[in-house]
Amino acid sequence: MVQHYQSPVRVYKHPFALVMLAYERRFPTCPQIPVFVGCEVTMDEESNGGAIRKTERRCKLNVEAPYILKKIIGVDFVYFIQRNVLDRRNSILEIEACNESFSNRVGVVEKCKYYIHPENPNWTCFEQTASLDIKNFFGFENSMEKLAMKQYAQNIAKGKEIIEYFVNQLKEEGITYVEPWTDPSPQKDIEVDVPIKGEGEAVGNKEPDSETKLPSSRDMQLSSDYIARYLGKLNMMQESRLVQLRHSIEELRGSSVPADATLLRFLRAREFSVEKAREMLTQSLHWRKKHQVDKLLDDYEAPQVVKDYFPGGWHHFDKDGRPLYVLRLGQMDVKGLLKSIGEDEVLLLALHVCEEGLQLMDEATTICGYPVSQWTLLIDLEGLNMRHLWRPGIKALLRIIEIVEANYPETMGRVLIIRAPRCFPILWTLISTFIHENTRNKFVFSCGTDYQEQGAGGLTDYIGQDVIPDFLGGPSETFIVDGGVVPKQLYRLDLEVGASTEHEHSLYQSISLSRGQVHNVVIHCNDPGAVLTWDFDVMRHNVTFTVLRKTRNSICDDAGGPSRSSFTNGELDAAATKEWKEGIDCVKVEPSVLCHDGESIQGTHIMQVAGSYILQWQYQEDQTERLPAITSHKAQLMYFHETLPSVQYRGSMMSLQSAISGKSIASSSLSR
């Protein structure tokens, strides 16, 4: 496998002539690089007038390798050939080095260049590229590759320091300025052909300035100083991958290349694989163009429902200078938002938040004086219950997660989850598998009432005390709406029809109940600890809802009996219409709830023991009627239930359950 390295531009804040004098002091030996034992000059020629100087050196390097490897290869030193072309007229030094030892087994080629900074003539730039190709090395190919790259990284890290060291040495000797070279003759110099441009390629009679392309101002942004200031600390290979990705995208898209911070985020998302990052970024750029995402900040106008009922917004910064977004998810009416504005509009809202995050991170980088490439999300779950697990709402959330992960990778620095209720492990189970592992590792959970305490993941570990939101007992006023229930008169009929067609008909069952009628759904559980969930809408009249568990044999056995799906039609009818008598046939495991016309009810029950459980709906008599009605309006409802295996949420999230006391109940607080 061939390893490639391409450096960002390093800037020496010294004139070119002074840097060249310092460079010459690296020879014939350089104590700052111990592996560089010495060198001999094999060729040193100048053209007429001295405009072009060509030098060739045979360099001796110590082999830093394990003793056994040295014994196998039989050498303590390896030799490299270094060829330099100094173009004094254009102030450019080009260097090429390749290995002489083991050249039939290992190919090492390094190219470097010094030149005047394109925007400041008193500064000097340096850049380098290298390739390592280990073809066959006595079965130690992987070991040699690791050793070579490690040694090369160490030498590169010392490279800039060495030039600075010799510049300072010159200053101590009183040499602070070197007169730039001037052409003694106006005539063009005659040059000597020396192989320097590449393997098998000669310079010929062309001067280096005719083939050398100096970087543009955009190229100059990727200097090591620029990276440290605006992108953060990167190691040698990470810098190289960033440069390679930018050049690769430039070849595909010309001048329309994303910001360097964006390139770096995609690289991090793909573990600095240039090929994978390029593929991911290219797909994202096509997506942005197709959906006009670049215009979102200017064109997006939040619907009035969002302004009135969406409990989220930006709120100062965390302790690391990251923009802080606060979302009161427990106060959000997920179903109401989706039925009033639709899934696409909710997605648009999420994308607008992401675009605002990118803009705020750039502003924070400028203000803080150090790179801010991520933002923090604070999610308050007080009020979260099973109504937030409404099936179409989960589907919309998963779609948003998928799109955000693909197009805004590595923008989330930390997710602070506070006041998580007992039902949260179920929600986490449903969505966590769709979140990339790198993002999952950034979640911090704080349960109970100690979320403000410092230490052990408390809020004040990450957010300054002065910016704790007021609704959490802090001093900082937030300009975030309280959320609440979206009025049903704001629901859009076209969305109601679409939702019913796409989601509810495929998942939900509809039933009608006449006066005195009961409908039961029997679920058999042979997985103690499994979670039974339900979601139903009362379309007409009032009903009473109860959750029961069988205590004696009837249609189903308590252990090993048939599941609901194995009943015959007659048995199903009998189970659905049977009047289960509490204390005789069954016990109540959740309190009965009176559900009114138009309400949506969601709930959950952990089935601690194996057996048969019953979801029961009963027609509720109107107590205000003094005389029996001549005709009875049927109650209508639409329901869905699901059993989540215990193994899905048992384990890491069980601490969340134990942190909040209380039983799961279906109550009016779960309804809308």
Side-chain angles (χ1 to χ4, degrees):
M1 180 178 177
V2 180
Q3 288 278 2
H4 294 284
Y5 169 76
Q6 186 168 1
S7 76
V9 177
R10 294 196 181 113
V11 178
Y12 300 104
K13 297 181 179 180
H14 311 292
F16 179 81
L18 185 63
V19 171
M20 289 299 97
L21 188 59
Y23 172 78
E24 289 294 330
R25 293 206 169 190
R26 295 179 54 176
F27 306 102
T29 61
C30 185
Q32 288 74 22
I33 305 181
V35 297
F36 189 80
V37 179
C39 66
E40 60 174 324
V41 177
T42 58
M43 187 268 288
D44 192 4
E45 298 178 351
E46 288 191 359
S47 61
N48 294 336
I52 304 296
R53 179 187 177 187
K54 297 181 179 180
T55 307
E56 182 177 296
R57 297 181 178 91
R58 188 169 185 260
C59 304
K60 183 179 180 181
L61 277 67
N62 182 32
V63 177
E64 286 200 348
Y67 173 78
I68 184 65
L69 186 56
K70 284 188 176 183
K71 297 298 287 184
I72 291 174
I73 64 178
V75 297
D76 289 324
F77 303 99
V78 294
Y79 291 89
F80 275 73
I81 303 299
Q82 183 197 71
R83 301 183 181 95
N84 294 3
V85 175
L86 174 60
D87 179 359
R88 294 192 177 102
R89 177 180 290 116
N90 296 298
S91 299
I92 297 173
L93 171 63
E94 291 187 300
I95 306 166
E96 180 182 299
C98 58
N99 60 306
E100 180 183 73
S101 304
F102 305 107
S103 58
N104 61 329
R105 296 180 179 273
V106 179
V108 180
V109 178
E110 180 188 56
K111 295 182 181 182
C112 307
K113 182 163 60 179
Y114 291 86
Y115 52 90
I116 293 178
H117 194 291
E119 297 175 358
N120 190 328
N122 293 319
W123 291 356
T124 303
C125 298
F126 171 78
E127 60 183 38
Q128 66 191 135
T129 62
S131 65
L132 170 66
D133 183 10
I134 300 182
K135 306 165 188 175
N136 180 4
F137 206 81
F138 311 105
F140 288 87
E141 290 79 14
N142 290 336
S143 299
M144 278 300 299
E145 182 177 295
K146 292 178 181 178
L147 283 170
M149 294 309 297
K150 178 182 178 181
Q151 189 62 55
Y152 191 68
Q154 292 174 351
N155 294 342
I156 285 178
K158 296 175 181 176
K160 185 175 182 179
E161 299 174 5
I162 292 171
I163 291 294
E164 296 288 355
Y165 171 82
F166 286 119
V167 167
N168 291 331
Q169 190 181 78
L170 289 170
K171 290 181 178 180
E172 291 174 1
E173 298 173 5
I175 304 174
T176 59
Y177 177 76
V178 177
E179 188 72 26
W181 182 86
T182 56
D183 194 345
S185 171
Q187 295 181 354
K188 186 176 179 180
D189 299 302
I190 302 174
E191 302 188 24
V192 181
D193 290 350
V194 176
I196 189 67
K197 287 292 178 184
E199 296 176 300
E201 185 180 2
V203 174
N205 290 325
K206 296 180 181 179
E207 294 191 6
D209 63 321
S210 65
E211 294 187 355
T212 301
K213 180 182 178 182
L214 295 179
S216 64
S217 59
R218 172 156 172 78
D219 291 327
M220 287 306 304
Q221 284 185 347
L222 269 184
S223 68
S224 54
D225 293 338
Y226 166 84
I227 290 174
R229 167 63 179 84
Y230 292 99
L231 302 179
K233 185 175 178 58
L234 303 178
N235 63 35
M236 176 197 78
M237 292 309 297
Q238 290 171 343
E239 289 181 341
S240 173
R241 298 291 187 260
L242 178 59
V243 175
Q244 291 177 44
L245 179 60
R246 184 207 263 186
H247 289 172
S248 178
I249 296 298
E250 284 176 341
E251 291 176 358
L252 291 174
R253 302 180 60 84
S255 59
S256 58
V257 178
D260 299 313
T262 300
L263 300 178
L264 184 57
R265 282 195 293 270
F266 278 83
L267 274 171
R268 283 183 169 138
R270 290 298 178 262
E271 299 178 341
F272 283 88
S273 167
V274 175
E275 293 77 13
K276 293 179 180 179
R278 180 178 62 242
E279 180 181 359
M280 182 184 185
L281 178 57
T282 301
Q283 292 177 356
S284 178
L285 293 174
H286 290 323
W287 170 82
R288 293 182 70 88
K289 183 176 182 180
K290 178 180 178 180
H291 298 284
Q292 298 291 292
V293 179
D294 290 335
K295 299 180 180 179
L296 198 57
L297 283 178
D298 295 328
D299 296 349
Y300 177 76
E301 176 66 27
Q304 193 61 44
V305 173
V306 171
K307 296 177 181 179
D308 294 340
Y309 295 99
F310 181 73
W314 295 101
H315 180 73
H316 300 287
F317 301 86
D318 69 6
K319 286 186 173 181
D320 295 320
R322 296 165 172 163
L324 174 65
Y325 192 88
V326 176
L327 179 63
R328 302 184 68 180
L329 182 60
Q331 306 302 315
M332 186 192 303
D333 181 2
V334 178
K335 180 182 287 188
L337 284 171
L338 282 172
K339 288 197 171 187
S340 58
I341 63 175
E343 184 178 312
D344 288 342
E345 191 67 37
V346 172
L347 171 61
L348 207 59
L349 169 63
L351 297 181
H352 185 257
V353 171
C354 292
E355 290 295 306
E356 287 181 321
L358 296 178
Q359 186 178 64
L360 289 171
M361 288 186 299
D362 289 341
E363 294 174 2
T365 297
T366 302
I367 295 171
C368 296
Y370 56 80
V372 177
S373 59
Q374 296 175 321
W375 52 280
T376 294
L377 176 61
L378 169 62
I379 302 179
D380 177 25
L381 295 181
E382 184 181 51
L384 185 81
N385 50 55
M386 290 304 294
R387 66 185 170 88
H388 293 88
L389 299 185
W390 182 53
R391 195 77 170 192
I394 294 295
K395 176 181 176 295
L397 176 61
L398 295 181
R399 180 189 174 199
I400 291 172
I401 290 174
E402 180 183 11
I403 292 175
V404 170
E405 291 251 325
N407 298 284
Y408 300 90
E410 294 297 317
T411 55
M412 189 66 67
R414 188 177 291 120
V415 182
L416 304 173
I417 305 289
I418 61 169
R419 301 201 285 191
R422 194 173 70 110
C423 67
F424 177 65
I426 302 172
L427 176 63
W428 179 251
T429 296
L430 294 173
I431 67 173
S432 61
T433 55
F434 295 90
I435 302 175
H436 193 278
E437 182 180 2
N438 291 343
T439 304
R440 288 203 306 270
N441 292 335
K442 298 171 184 176
F443 277 68
V444 179
F445 300 93
S446 297
C447 304
T449 59
D450 58 350
Y451 53 85
Q452 281 200 42
E453 296 181 6
Q454 192 162 4
L459 265 188
T460 50
D461 287 349
Y462 310 104
I463 302 173
Q465 183 66 46
D466 58 328
V467 298
I468 298 292
D470 48 9
F471 65 85
L472 295 176
S476 184
E477 182 181 3
T478 56
F479 299 94
I480 300 172
V481 300
D482 294 331
V485 176
V486 177
K488 287 195 173 182
Q489 59 264 30
L490 297 180
Y491 288 8
R492 285 169 45 187
L493 294 178
D494 57 327
L495 295 177
E496 289 279 357
V497 173
S500 177
T501 300
E502 183 177 355
H503 305 296
E504 294 169 357
H505 281 340
S506 59
L507 295 171
Y508 290 74
Q509 298 185 47
S510 298
I511 58 171
S512 297
L513 297 175
S514 300
R515 182 184 298 273
Q517 191 174 0
V518 176
H519 182 81
N520 301 298
V521 175
V522 182
I523 299 98
H524 184 74
C525 170
N526 57 6
D527 176 21
V531 178
L532 174 61
T533 70
W534 56 85
D535 176 17
F536 62 91
D537 284 0
V538 181
M539 313 300 291
R540 180 186 295 176
H541 204 66
N542 300 335
V543 297
T544 300
F545 175 69
T546 310
V547 183
L548 307 163
R549 180 172 61 83
K550 262 181 44 57
T551 57
R552 70 174 192 173
N553 294 337
S554 181
I555 293 178
C556 308
D557 294 326
D558 282 336
S563 66
R564 183 179 187 277
S565 60
S566 66
F567 291 153
T568 65
N569 289 337
E571 288 172 335
L572 276 174
D573 292 340
T577 58
K578 176 179 173 62
E579 182 180 355
W580 302 89
K581 295 181 180 180
E582 184 180 350
I584 300 176
D585 301 297
C586 57
V587 293
K588 188 182 296 184
V589 295
E590 296 285 355
S592 298
V593 179
L594 175 60
C595 307
H596 299 89
D597 183 1
E599 284 190 324
S600 294
I601 307 294
Q602 294 80 28
T604 178
H605 176 76
I606 299 177
M607 298 182 286
Q608 299 288 7
V609 299
S612 298
Y613 291 78
I614 302 103
L615 302 180
Q616 184 181 88
W617 291 271
Q618 185 173 7
Y619 184 99
Q620 177 64 38
E621 297 286 352
D622 189 343
Q623 301 299 322
T624 63
E625 292 183 358
R626 297 183 179 181
L627 296 174
I630 299 176
T631 59
S632 174
H633 293 290
K634 291 185 177 181
Q636 292 184 348
L637 61 93
M638 185 168 57
Y639 70 88
F640 168 80
H641 68 88
E642 184 176 20
T643 298
L644 303 177
S646 61
V647 69
Q648 288 189 2
Y649 70 97
R650 183 181 296 158
S652 61
M653 299 307 295
M654 288 302 289
S655 59
L656 285 175
Q657 287 185 287
S658 61
I660 305 295
S661 61
K663 289 182 65 177
S664 170
I665 60 172
S667 67
S668 58
S669 65
L670 300 183
S671 65
R672 227 192 50 251

